[in-house]
Amino acid sequence: MRLIRRWTALVALSIAAAGAGAQAPYPSQPIKVVVPFPAGSLVDVLGRSIGEALTGTLKQPVVIDNKPGASTLLGAKIVAAAPPDGYTLLVPTVTTMSMAPQLVSRPGIDPLRELTPIARLGATNFFLSVHPSFPARTMKEWIAEVKAHPGKYSYASSGNGSPHHVFMELLKKQLGLDIVHVPYKGSSSSMPDLLSGKVDMAFLDGTLAIPNIKAGKLFTMGTSMARRSVLLPSAPTIAETVPGFDWSGWIGVAGPANMPAPVVNLLAEEIRKLQSTPHFAELLNKAAMEPTEPIPPAAMADFVRSEYARWGPAIRTSGATID
C-alpha cells in the first residue's frame, strides 16, 4: 500500500508539472501593438482600427503603444527585442521595412532578420501635384516645361529620405530634369507654401492631395503607382507617359523574429477576414489608401525581401540619406 501511495503521488506530481509547463492557447492575455508613428497619424488610425477588430475576434484587449522616432526604427527595435510569442506586434510601413534601414548608416536593426512579416494592409499612392498656375496640364507638358527651364522650379518633400523625396529624385534621374528640392518637416508643413505657389510641386499622399485636387487648389500630373487610383480614377498614372515608373508605400503588420507559425497564421487569417469587410474598405477610403490583395504569411517574407531589394538602388540613385 505504501508503494502504491508513493506511485500515485508521483503520478499526480507529474501531471501537475506537465499542466504547469503547458502553454495556454493563443491568445490568453492582452496584445500590445506598437505603432512607430505619433497618435493621430494615418498609420496610428489604421493600427487602432486593426486593434479594435482583433479585440473583438480574439477576445483579448489589444493595446496601442505609440513609439515614434528614428524614422520608425525605434518602434521596430522595441518589437524585435520582445518575446516572439505574438503578444507584441508592430504596424510597419515601407519606410520601416525597406527604406530607413538603407538610409541610415547605423540603423541598429535588420528588419529582414529581426522581424516576422505577417500581413499587408494596403498601399499608399502618391499624386504628383502642382499649383494651378503651373503652365502644364499633362505629364508630357510638365516634362517639356521643366526641361525648358532647368533650376527654375522647386518641389517640396516631407524630408530627406522620405518617399516624396525619393520618388521625385528618381523621376528627375530618369528624365534628366533639374528641379530644386525643398525639404519640410512633414507633408502637412509644406502645404501652405504649395497652396500659395511658393513651391511649385510635390508628391503628396491621397489624404492631402485628393481634397485639394477636387477643390481646384491643386492639379495632378499623375500618380506614382502604375495602376490608376481607385480613389481618383480620373487621374492618369505617371507610367502612362514615363514607362516603368511604379512606386508606392504600404502599411502592414509584423512581429518579432521566430514567431510560431500557428500564431502567425491565426493573426494573418483574422486580418484577412477584416480586409474582406465593407468596414475595412471604408477605413481605407477614409485613409486615402489603395486596397491590395492579401498576401499569405508564407509569401510575406518574400514580398518584404523583394521590396527591400527594389528600394536599395532607388535610394542610391536618389542620393537620399537621413544621417
Side-chain angles (χ1 to χ4, degrees):
M1 287 296 294
R2 188 176 301 171
L3 182 60
I4 294 173
R5 283 197 296 270
R6 285 182 181 177
W7 176 250
T8 304
L10 284 172
V11 171
L13 285 172
S14 298
I15 294 172
Q23 293 184 343
Y26 177 87
S28 58
Q29 65 187 59
I31 299 168
K32 180 171 73 173
V33 175
V34 175
V35 175
F37 289 85
S41 63
L42 166 63
V43 180
D44 176 67
V45 171
L46 198 58
R48 289 179 187 277
S49 296
I50 293 294
E52 289 175 6
L54 291 179
T55 295
T57 58
L58 298 180
K59 310 303 181 185
Q60 286 291 339
V62 177
V63 181
I64 302 298
D65 187 11
N66 296 94
K67 293 293 183 183
S71 299
T72 76
L73 296 182
L74 174 61
K77 292 175 189 177
I78 292 171
V79 174
D85 53 13
Y87 292 104
T88 305
L89 304 175
L90 177 71
V91 184
T93 68
V94 67
T95 298
T96 315
M97 304 297 282
S98 304
M99 296 185 68
Q102 302 187 78
L103 284 162
V104 180
S105 59
R106 296 180 180 178
I109 183 174
D110 180 351
L112 301 184
R113 288 193 312 105
E114 299 180 61
L115 295 173
T116 297
I118 297 171
R120 178 179 61 169
L121 301 176
T124 307
N125 205 349
F126 290 78
F127 297 76
L128 177 53
S129 306
V130 300
H131 189 268
S133 63
F134 193 86
R137 283 298 176 269
T138 67
M139 194 66 198
K140 286 184 178 179
E141 293 174 354
W142 180 88
I143 295 169
E145 175 65 21
V146 174
K147 278 191 172 182
H149 302 94
K152 174 182 177 181
Y153 295 110
S154 61
Y155 79 92
S157 82
S158 63
N160 287 315
S162 64
H164 321 69
H165 177 207
V166 174
F167 293 165
M168 188 65 86
E169 292 300 320
L170 287 171
L171 195 58
K172 287 168 57 178
K173 183 79 172 180
Q174 187 169 348
L175 299 173
L177 305 178
D178 180 5
I179 312 172
V180 179
H181 178 211
V182 184
Y184 290 79
K185 291 182 178 180
S187 293
S188 297
S189 62
S190 72
M191 290 305 293
D193 286 350
L194 185 60
L195 292 172
S196 68
K198 188 174 180 179
V199 289
D200 301 294
M201 62 193 74
F203 272 105
L204 299 173
D205 66 65
T207 59
L208 294 173
I210 292 174
N212 285 294
I213 291 168
K214 289 183 175 180
K217 297 178 180 179
L218 292 174
F219 188 86
T220 184
M221 295 291 118
T223 64
S224 64
M225 293 179 72
R227 64 175 173 84
R228 291 215 174 193
S229 169
V230 301
L231 305 166
L232 194 66
S234 61
T237 69
I238 293 174
E240 290 171 30
T241 305
V242 184
F245 196 88
D246 184 15
W247 296 93
S248 63
W250 55 270
I251 298 175
V253 178
N258 302 315
M259 287 179 62
V263 172
V264 173
N265 292 335
L266 173 63
L267 289 168
E269 177 61 16
E270 292 301 330
I271 292 169
R272 186 197 65 77
K273 290 177 184 176
L274 173 63
Q275 287 179 292
S276 67
T277 64
H279 169 72
F280 190 81
E282 182 182 354
L283 176 65
L284 286 185
N285 188 62
K286 286 182 179 179
M289 293 188 67
E290 306 285 341
T292 55
E293 287 294 323
I295 301 176
M300 270 301 297
D302 291 336
F303 169 74
V304 169
R305 278 194 293 267
S306 67
E307 282 286 282
Y308 189 95
R310 185 168 180 254
W311 277 94
I315 289 168
R316 290 190 290 274
T317 296
S318 72
T321 61
I322 297 179
D323 294 331

